[in-house]
């Protein structure tokens, strides 16, 4: 089986889709897929579909939805050229894939066939590489993790209380991975290569201070000092208008350090993360840029 949750919902068994068109069975399958290999209680599934006020018929209706999912799965399993010859005794049955467990249900598939689980695996080892100072490996691994995304998670699935939390968790993890990958690239001296990416990201996330700080660092170390200062002013204006607040202390210090340094483009590389400041360049500026990436 192949399951994709990082974008439009895809679940296929031997090229046959098992994603139902009806909204509620779709929700149930998505939640089971997110927790592939684990048991999801009936209470959790009912909370996802009906919230905190399930109808009296909810347990029976849930069983009906599971039955419909198994029918779709059985059709895919028995399709010509399926995983086992049709009619043989050892052919897997839908009940062996979508399993009834005590108090709930389990989608008995390997977690690594689910793109969300693969994303989390790659992100974990990518972050470990970053922490160990292996920025090249971190950039590669986190880039592979981010490449699994095809759009917002479960963009075509109606989400209830449980799935909303799961989607929020995934989106936060995506942003963390993105910031870390960019930070790794900056530490590798690829500041020019991430400028256009950061320009788009800062426009898409006008209140995200971390991305703006990275954009400022990339601009500054590329010799675009005035643009870096302009990026700060734009962030400051947006935060003031939208939230009535000033940029955080680290971002203000980064801005002030850039003004104090007043270095020319040929000296700017000395402010790259991990590279000692050159003579005449205030160490405070180097520290501020390091904290940004």
């Amino acid at each position: 089986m192949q399951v994709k949750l990082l974008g439009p919902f895809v679940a296929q068994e031997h090229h046959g889709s098992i994603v139902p068109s009806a909204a509620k069975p779709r929700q149930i399958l998505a939640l089971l897929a997110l927790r592939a290999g684990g048991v999801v209680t009936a209470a959790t599934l009912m909370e996802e579909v009906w919230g905190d006020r399930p109808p009296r018929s909810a347990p029976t209706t849930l069983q009906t939805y599971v039955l419909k999912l198994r029918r779709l799965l059985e059709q895919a399993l028995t399709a010509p050229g399926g995983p086992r010859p049709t009619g043989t005794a050892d052919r897997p049955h839908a009940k062996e894939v979508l399993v009834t467990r005590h108090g709930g249900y389990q989608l008995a598939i390997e977690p690594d066939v689910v793109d969300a689980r693969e994303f989390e695996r790659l992100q974990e080892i990518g972050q470990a590489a970053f922490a160990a100072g292996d920025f090249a490996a971190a950039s590669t691994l986190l880039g592979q993790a981010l490449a699994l995304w095809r759009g917002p998670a479960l963009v075509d699935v109606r989400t209830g209380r449980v799935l909303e939390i799961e989607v929020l968790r995934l989106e936060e993890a995506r942003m963390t991975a993105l910031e870390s990958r960019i930070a790794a690239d900056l530490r590798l001296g690829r500041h020019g290569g991430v400028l256009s990416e950061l320009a788009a990201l800062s426009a898409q996330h006008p209140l995200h201070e971390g991305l703006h700080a990275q954009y400022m660092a990339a601009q500054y170390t590329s010799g675009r000092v005035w643009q870096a200062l302009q990026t700060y002013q734009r962030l400051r204006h947006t935060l003031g208008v939208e939230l009535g607040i000033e940029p955080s202390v680290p971002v203000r210090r980064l801005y002030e350090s850039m003004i104090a340094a007043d270095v020319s483009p040929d000296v700017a590389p000395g402010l790259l993360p991990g590279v000692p400041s050159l003579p005449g360049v205030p160490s405070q500026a180097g520290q501020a840029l390091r904290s940004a990436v």
Side-chain angles (χ1 to χ4, degrees), residues 44-260:
T44 299
L45 291 168
M46 288 188 288
E47 179 185 0
E48 165 59 26
V49 174
W50 292 288
D52 56 3
R53 292 186 178 181
R56 291 184 180 180
S57 61
T60 302
T61 305
L62 176 61
Q63 292 174 354
T64 302
Y65 291 154
V66 171
L67 178 61
K68 290 180 178 179
L69 290 173
R70 283 183 176 144
R71 285 174 179 168
L72 284 172
L73 182 55
E74 191 68 26
Q75 290 173 6
L77 289 169
T78 58
R84 303 273 177 85
T86 302
T88 59
D90 60 351
R91 180 179 58 79
H93 295 285
K95 286 185 178 181
E96 298 171 326
V97 180
L98 180 46
V99 186
T100 300
R101 300 296 186 191
H102 178 69
Y105 299 93
Q106 176 189 30
L107 192 60
I109 59 175
E110 293 297 326
D112 59 5
V113 305
V114 182
D115 62 353
R117 301 292 285 273
E118 178 66 4
F119 163 76
E120 292 171 335
R121 185 188 71 82
L122 288 168
Q123 184 195 25
E124 182 179 354
I125 58 177
Q127 296 286 16
F130 188 96
D134 189 349
F135 302 121
S139 176
T140 298
L141 290 164
L142 293 170
Q144 291 173 352
L146 292 164
L148 294 171
W149 288 75
R150 299 165 293 114
L154 294 173
V155 65
D156 56 350
V157 177
R158 185 177 69 185
T159 57
R161 181 183 303 170
V162 182
L163 276 179
E164 279 181 357
I165 294 172
E166 294 286 355
V167 167
L168 178 61
R169 177 182 63 81
L170 286 169
E171 293 291 350
E172 287 294 331
R174 180 188 190 182
M175 186 60 67
T176 298
L178 179 60
E179 288 186 82
S180 295
R181 199 228 77 223
I182 292 173
D185 285 342
L186 288 172
R187 296 209 177 217
L188 291 167
R190 301 170 181 170
H191 44 281
V194 298
L195 276 173
S196 60
E197 182 181 13
L198 283 167
L201 288 169
S202 61
Q204 293 167 11
H205 305 277
L207 301 176
H208 197 295
E209 291 188 80
L211 290 174
H212 280 76
Q214 289 183 325
Y215 191 25
M216 290 166 63
Q219 290 173 313
Y220 189 87
T221 52
S222 297
R224 306 181 184 187
V225 179
W226 70 270
Q227 291 179 338
L229 302 181
Q230 190 177 61
T231 295
Y232 172 82
Q233 293 296 347
R234 184 167 58 249
L235 171 66
R236 182 172 182 266
H237 174 77
T238 304
L239 289 173
V241 171
E242 297 292 332
L243 302 177
I245 61 173
E246 288 286 317
S248 62
V249 172
V251 179
R252 292 204 305 271
R253 285 177 178 169
L254 174 61
Y255 171 72
E256 291 164 0
S257 297
M258 288 178 175
I259 294 178

